[in-house]
Amino acid sequence: MEDYAAKMVGKTDAELLLYVERRNEYREQAVLAAVNELERRGHAIDNVAALRSELQASFVESEAEALRNPAPEPAWMTRPATPEEPEQVAPDAPALYSPTTVVVFSVFSFLIGGVLMLLNLLRLRRYGGAALLVALVVLGISGLGWISKLVAVRPEYIFLAINVVLAALYVYVLWPNFIGAQTYRPRGWLMPLLIIFALNMLFMVLLRYAGVAIPGLGQ
């Protein structure tokens, strides 16, 4: 609540008298504070007792009216929160493997993640991106054999490092540049996973006979 008494101390006599003369334009408490300050300064006010009674009665009536008719709460306080509706995907939107799916499978094998990403690019006819993807996979295969011969590190560590690097390239380079903010339907991955896993195992066996060290396969 505003401290009208302290406020009136800084007013001039003329300003205080204005509160009394135009009391219908001000709050009752403000006018009463002005009357008290004028009396404290030694000014006599005509019919001060009747004026006080009038102001007190008006103040009581205003308070009672406020209790009978409280001000409505703002709409933002009364409106129940409505959950945001999920974005609707068009029925004809292409079915793609999500970036998360691509990354998860790429961490296990960049070949599996590469196949999933390749299927996405071919479905959208992003042939330039598909060609770049194939080049990255070939580079990863070559790097696996080359690094294994040059660095005295266990092959599984090299394989994991290449998986992580290519997974990052799939989702942070290929996806933004060749797919972008494309609206799509998440594609089921169980059956393709089984097929890709079988092809991946076959490819690893072929690499074994080619003399490339692959984790999990003996020489």
Side-chain angles (χ1 to χ4, degrees):
M1 183 178 294
E2 189 171 356
D3 188 356
Y4 290 106
K7 183 178 179 180
M8 296 304 163
V9 172
K11 302 286 185 182
T12 64
D13 291 350
E15 290 173 330
L16 294 174
L17 288 171
L18 190 63
Y19 274 87
V20 177
E21 294 171 358
R22 299 182 179 178
R23 52 184 173 274
N24 293 332
E25 301 176 11
Y26 300 99
R27 293 181 178 273
E28 296 86 351
Q29 292 170 291
V31 179
L32 283 171
V35 170
N36 293 335
E37 181 62 22
L38 285 170
E39 288 186 325
R40 190 183 68 81
R41 297 181 186 182
H43 294 282
I45 302 175
D46 296 337
N47 301 319
V48 65
L51 178 59
R52 287 182 184 278
S53 299
E54 175 189 339
L55 293 172
Q56 291 286 0
S58 179
F59 175 71
V60 171
E61 178 62 26
S62 298
E63 290 294 307
E65 181 66 22
L67 292 175
R68 287 194 298 268
N69 301 297
E73 293 183 347
W76 62 269
M77 295 180 63
T78 58
R79 184 174 61 248
T82 55
E84 294 184 1
E85 295 183 359
E87 183 180 355
Q88 297 295 326
V89 179
D92 58 346
L96 303 177
Y97 296 105
S98 69
T100 301
T101 301
V102 172
V103 168
V104 169
F105 288 128
S106 297
V107 170
F108 287 100
S109 171
F110 67 88
L111 295 173
I112 298 178
V115 171
L116 296 180
M117 192 67 184
L118 180 63
L119 293 174
N120 285 346
L121 294 170
L122 292 178
R123 179 172 289 271
L124 297 175
R125 299 182 180 180
R126 307 291 198 268
Y127 300 120
L132 180 57
L133 172 64
V134 172
L136 288 174
V137 171
V138 172
L139 183 62
I141 296 172
S142 302
L144 180 60
W146 180 66
I147 297 174
S148 298
K149 295 177 181 179
L150 293 181
V151 181
V153 179
R154 296 182 62 176
E156 52 265 33
Y157 295 154
I158 300 174
F159 188 63
L160 178 60
I162 293 177
N163 288 342
V164 172
V165 170
L166 286 180
L169 291 175
Y170 293 160
V171 297
Y172 291 115
V173 176
L174 291 177
W175 192 288
N177 287 283
F178 294 98
I179 298 179
Q182 170 75 48
T183 301
Y184 65 92
R185 292 177 291 113
R187 191 172 182 181
W189 48 263
L190 181 57
M191 185 56 66
L193 171 63
L194 298 177
I195 298 174
I196 293 171
F197 182 75
L199 293 175
N200 186 61
M201 292 301 297
L202 176 61
F203 193 73
M204 292 174 70
V205 171
L206 294 176
L207 287 179
R208 172 196 175 189
Y209 286 106
V212 178
I214 300 294
L217 294 178
Q219 295 293 328

